[in-house]
Amino acid sequence: GHTRIGYVDVTGGSEISVARLNGHKTALAEANIPFRPELYTAIPADTHVYGGFQAASNLLALPVEERPTAILGFNDLFALGIMHAVRAHGLRVPDDISVIGCDDVPMAAYAYPPLTTVSLPKYRIGKLAVSTLLQMCIEAPDPMGTYTLMESPRLIRESTAPCSKG
């Protein structure tokens, strides 16, 4: 039921950042939810938790009827900062604002509340990278412009809930 979904991205336009932003926009479009630029913010990658806190504070400063009811962080560290900002603004995760991260870092499961996240298949990614490098040494193909799509399951924990507001 969330229709005002914020996104805290990383600045710089890296390939992964562009792909995640496109995925965010595609998911919104598939749910018939317009992308709202005022609910999008980008911060330096090296700011981690503090950057997530600052970015979310900007989103939470919007008027109540315009602020997001859910916020997606580019990664779990940003999302941990987002959760802290929600609490610092006197709000509750997930009762007032749902928070989702990406990467499934070990501390995500131990956050309060435990962070809902998109898990990356790190072992499979590493195995594929080594296999690709070995194949390149033997066959010398040009891997540029190719990609492998891997399933990245959502781990639904306690930082998300149905929207309680319109």
Side-chain angles (χ1 to χ4, degrees):
H2 294 277
T3 58
R4 295 190 313 268
I5 302 170
Y7 182 49
V8 176
D9 197 359
V10 64
T11 58
S14 68
E15 187 176 343
I16 187 84
S17 172
V18 170
R20 287 186 184 180
L21 177 58
N22 286 338
H24 174 69
K25 288 179 176 180
T26 299
L28 289 174
E30 288 173 358
N32 293 317
I33 299 170
F35 175 77
R36 297 177 54 187
E38 67 273 17
L39 297 181
Y40 171 82
T41 186
I43 58 174
D46 62 351
T47 59
H48 304 296
V49 176
Y50 179 73
F53 177 87
Q54 293 290 30
S57 293
N58 292 338
L59 293 175
L60 297 173
L62 292 168
V64 174
E65 64 278 356
E66 294 178 25
R67 75 176 176 215
T69 60
I71 303 175
L72 169 63
F74 172 80
N75 63 29
D76 287 344
L77 294 178
F78 285 10
L80 293 172
I82 292 165
M83 289 199 316
H84 181 63
V86 170
R87 289 189 298 271
H89 282 79
L91 301 168
R92 296 164 297 161
V93 175
D95 301 328
D96 299 310
I97 298 183
S98 289
V99 179
I100 303 173
C102 189
D103 296 337
D104 191 29
V105 298
M107 71 178 72
Y110 300 100
Y112 181 76
L115 179 65
T116 295
T117 187
V118 177
S119 178
L120 299 182
K122 296 171 190 82
Y123 177 80
R124 288 179 46 216
I125 291 170
K127 188 174 177 180
L128 178 64
V130 170
S131 173
T132 301
L133 284 172
L134 291 173
Q135 188 172 10
M136 288 173 60
C137 290
I138 295 168
E139 299 174 13
D142 181 10
M144 298 308 290
T146 64
Y147 65 93
T148 299
L149 187 62
M150 292 186 176
E151 185 174 309
S152 299
R154 285 174 297 162
L155 297 178
I156 299 174
R157 296 187 178 122
E158 297 172 33
S159 68
T160 53
C163 185
S164 60
K165 302 175 182 93

